[in-house]
Amino acid sequence: MLKDLHFPGTKRKMGAQESDPSVRIADANAQKLFPEGLVYSSPARGTWTIAHTSMLIPGSHQIFVCPSCCLRGVVLSAEEMGAMERFSMLEFTDEHILKGDLESMIIEGVTEILKEMDRKPTCVLLYTSCVQHFLNIDLSLVYRETAARFPDIDFIDCYMLPTMRKHFTPEKMQWRQLYRAVQPFPRNEKAINFIGSFYEIDKECELYELFQNASVSGENGQSNRSGFTVRQLPTMTAYSEYKSMGEAFANIYFNPVVKFAADDMEKRLGQKGIYLPVVYDFREIERRERELLIELGAVADIAVRTWFDSLRYEAETALRRAKSSVGIREIAIDGAAVTRPLSLAKMLFKQGFRVTRVYADAFVPEELDDFNWLRIHAPEIRVYPMTDSRMRKVDRKPAGPGFVAIGQKATYFTGTRNFVNLVENGGLYGFRGFKRLAEMIEDAAMHEKEPGKLIQVKALGCTENCGRLREAEF
């Protein structure tokens, strides 16, 4: 039976219910938290899919070439976010496979779709699925021919391949392909891109202040105020902005899954990839931002030590207020809300919060130090999977003083109405990002929300982004 499954490295100690899939962090194996098996998808649906992510490119149009069973999900996503005018589909059947005409079916189908459009898209993201790759059809021919027929449109080869995960995940692939239409421009040493975020990096983030108060050495050796130009997909309203990303000398990314895209852009465009993980350790945040200044070849025109001290003070003050509002209630964190849930759990635990649950199917290797710290100092924290089929039966109304949840999955599984509605870091980074998160925790503790109306909406924020772009000129 599923409940009797055992795997090396984790000591299975069940909770109150025999079907409880959780494990004490002290007993967990960081490399393999839970056994693979039947997957459960909870009604917490705010994470983005490939259908949503492509909508970030201004004026783009998606065409999915799939069997009907695969098309159901993406077409419903497009309908739900009110973006059907930016979405098309080509359904292929067994007959196409038997005839062996999939290449011509795609070429002619794409041609017909585009010819019928009054306003041509800026670029087309053409998604093929597992079947075409199993059949090894000539996709190079497909892209060459469609590009030749519509030379004013950029075509991006995209992939809906959930079955292929050994070398790269679908998430890695989607971010890499999203920037494939960015081509080299003359280098601008004062231009930077933020890549791989569904959300605008918060305007209050100290990175903007750092960019505006830094100087770079010019050709004459003199120090020139930089005034860096920052580009990111969630703020763009014109396709020309997207293409101008090609002039940047560096790409900053905040999620480790985006490294695949950063490496590709460094290879194709000569742009340096700079990783700034969203962590919650103040010393690491400061170290990373000091290293960023070095990477930029810049010096700060601000009193750096005093500046970092003031940023830290802001974050700590906000944390104290949040702790006062949360009181004795338990904290639950999920890995769909933040990319480093253990870093957040460690910081909150050290600040006196009652962190008792972390929801995650796996931890990234860079969280190993936080994992080992929590095993020693907070061994009773329980780690729950997010997609294990046994999560269907967990008690979603536990006894006790109640929970304040960080993330939609944690909200659903704890049954709380006090929660931070956050997905994929929400554009928060650094000291100011931590300050904003603390304010969100404080607000969650003080005000109940209706989870049924909030967490069941797909791709938190995507509908608003589509509405913003609908009237934009491309």
Side-chain angles (χ1 to χ4, degrees), residues 96 136 167 191 227 297-298:
H96 293 110
N136 197 29
H167 301 296

Side-chain angles (χ1 to χ4, degrees), residues 63 247 281 369 433:
I63 301 178
E247 74 171 9
D281 180 274
D369 287 345

Side-chain angles (χ1 to χ4, degrees), residues 176-224:
R176 188 189 77 171
Q177 298 308 109
L178 203 66
Y179 299 101
R180 271 297 174 96
V182 177
Q183 298 301 319
F185 268 50
R187 180 71 67 245
N188 181 350
E189 297 298 332
K190 296 181 180 179
I192 295 174
N193 300 323
F194 290 155
I195 65 170
S197 176
F198 302 117
Y199 306 99
E200 176 186 4
I201 302 305
D202 186 25
K203 291 185 177 67
E204 298 300 316
C205 171
E206 64 264 17
L207 291 181
Y208 297 108
E209 188 175 343
L210 185 151
F211 293 150
Q212 292 305 314
N213 290 280
S215 295
V216 295
S217 295
E219 294 180 1
N220 56 4
Q222 303 245 337
S223 183
N224 300 320

Side-chain angles (χ1 to χ4, degrees), residues 154 181-189 191 193 231 239-249 265 268-271:
D154 289 331
V182 177
Q183 298 301 319
F185 268 50
R187 180 71 67 245
N188 181 350
E189 297 298 332
N193 300 323
R231 294 188 178 91
Y239 192 62
S240 59
E241 293 179 75
Y242 169 80
K243 299 295 281 188
S244 292
M245 294 181 83
E247 74 171 9
F249 82 95
M265 295 175 81
R268 289 192 304 110
L269 309 174
Q271 297 173 332

Side-chain angles (χ1 to χ4, degrees), residues 16-53:
Q17 298 182 5
E18 189 65 18
S19 60
D20 184 356
S22 70
V23 59
R24 290 171 69 241
I25 196 165
D27 302 323
N29 175 3
Q31 281 70 47
K32 191 172 179 64
L33 285 174
F34 303 103
E36 295 180 4
L38 188 64
V39 170
Y40 166 63
S41 179
S42 76
R45 303 161 70 226
T47 52
W48 290 43
T49 68
I50 54 176
H52 302 100
T53 309

